[in-house]
Amino acid sequence: MQKPKRKLLDIVRDKIRFKHYSLSTERTYVHWIKHYIFYHNKKHPIEMRIKKNSNSIRYGLIML
């Protein structure tokens, strides 16, 4: 039996908590990631082609 895929925001929350960031930082990261996803018609960031001008989003997702 396969494990269900974890949602992106759950993964982000887990990594932020693992790194002991504050709750307000977690909320801010989640907010901006949601904003980014909704702006791009609810596509998962990994499914999108990330353009050169959005390096900060890619960097943020990789660093988490």
Side-chain angles (χ1 to χ4, degrees):
M1 188 172 203
Q2 291 181 348
K3 280 185 169 180
K5 288 187 179 181
R6 296 182 61 211
K7 294 185 178 185
L8 174 67
L9 295 178
D10 291 335
I11 295 168
V12 169
R13 285 185 188 101
D14 287 346
K15 292 211 178 213
I16 289 172
R17 289 173 187 166
F18 177 78
K19 292 184 175 197
H20 303 288
Y21 289 2
S22 71
L23 183 58
S24 62
T25 302
E26 176 183 332
R27 288 180 182 150
T28 302
Y29 273 54
V30 169
H31 167 78
W32 281 109
I33 292 169
K34 280 183 184 178
H35 181 77
Y36 182 81
I37 292 169
F38 279 104
Y39 178 79
H40 292 284
N41 299 319
K42 298 183 182 180
K43 290 184 182 176
H44 193 286
I46 294 173
E47 295 171 357
M48 290 187 280
R49 288 180 148 184
I50 299 178
K51 297 179 182 178
K52 291 181 182 180
N53 61 358
S54 66
N55 283 336
S56 61
I57 297 294
R58 181 176 9 170
Y59 178 77
L61 290 174
I62 291 171
M63 293 309 294
L64 287 175

